[in-house]
Amino acid sequence: GRENLLGGLIIAGYCEIPEVTLYFNNKLFRGNRTTKICASDYDAFDSPNILPLANIGIEIEVSWGLIHRPTSISKFCMADKLDPHVGALRLFPGIPTSTLKSFFQPPIKGVVLETYGSGNGPDTRPDFLEVLKEASDRGVVIVNCTQCVKGIVVDHYATGKALLKCGVVAGGDMTTECVLTKLCYLLGKGFTSEEVREKIQKNLRGELTIKVKEKVFSFENSNFVQKVSQVLLAE
């Protein structure tokens, strides 16, 4: 209502946050991270996999470390060519093969596959995997997203690896709404299927958490022991 409008205007006027955002119930969310979680409560929106960018109470508290800032300045532009041939398919126990085949028929180009948990599907069903592989080989970009409100899709488990072998790419912690929009945008830019699969897994506007692999110390392929030995012998 009016409070949301006024709060949004206050933040827009006082804080330099160069993002597309949503303000609701004293919280400012990143737009491409936000989903509606309730039809009636005041806390109707949330960004489950990232904290709000700002909170309004007695003071405005901005999490400046979360703000996604451009690395270069360029002329403002909007993407006006979005490919509409995308869709979301939510898995359920016993989903018929005929339903899968019908959904992946042309002119579909991109699909958000909403799976269980951290990206699991019926990997013991050859008919299911065959449909996915046939569609992927035909150029359909299939992105694996979780049905859970919060969490991340990984391919560490056997089921996730089975989907990966069929050409399905992991959607990380992106929301279904985000992946649908991202597919529309990338396909509308004219990229090939392989290029879209690559770019869908890249963080373009703060919509995806990229985990940096931490370096763990190991004696393997290390000359540490040799150096210590040389120092001891020198003494």
Side-chain angles (χ1 to χ4, degrees), residues 100-101 103-105 108-109 111 128-142 166-168 193 197:
L100 293 168
K101 289 183 177 180
F103 195 88
F104 284 102
Q105 289 301 307
I108 198 75
K109 295 181 181 178
V111 173
F128 170 76
L129 299 176
E130 184 180 342
V131 172
L132 296 184
K133 189 176 188 312
E134 189 279 329
S136 295
D137 292 344
R138 192 166 18 97
V140 179
V141 180
I142 308 174
C166 295
V168 180
S193 298
R197 290 188 183 102

Side-chain angles (χ1 to χ4, degrees), residues 81-86 179-189:
K81 293 182 180 179
L82 301 178
D83 196 315
H85 301 116
V86 301
V179 178
L180 276 171
T181 306
K182 200 170 179 179
L183 283 172
C184 290
Y185 168 72
L186 293 174
L187 290 169
K189 296 280 285 185

Side-chain angles (χ1 to χ4, degrees), residues 12-32:
Y14 284 92
C15 305
E16 187 178 341
I17 301 177
E19 294 199 32
V20 176
T21 58
L22 183 147
Y23 179 83
F24 202 87
N25 196 31
N26 301 321
K27 297 177 183 178
L28 185 73
F29 302 103
R30 176 171 294 153
N32 55 27

Side-chain angles (χ1 to χ4, degrees), residues 153-206:
V153 167
V154 295
D155 53 15
H156 299 161
Y157 304 109
T159 51
K161 290 180 179 179
L163 295 180
L164 183 65
K165 290 180 180 178
C166 295
V168 180
V169 296
D173 61 350
M174 292 185 288
T175 63
T176 296
E177 301 94 324
C178 173
V179 178
L180 276 171
T181 306
K182 200 170 179 179
L183 283 172
C184 290
Y185 168 72
L186 293 174
L187 290 169
K189 296 280 285 185
F191 294 118
T192 65
S193 298
E194 283 303 319
E195 289 173 329
V196 173
R197 290 188 183 102
E198 179 186 351
K199 294 179 183 296
I200 205 76
Q201 298 178 86
K202 290 186 176 181
N203 180 33
L204 303 181
R205 301 291 186 274

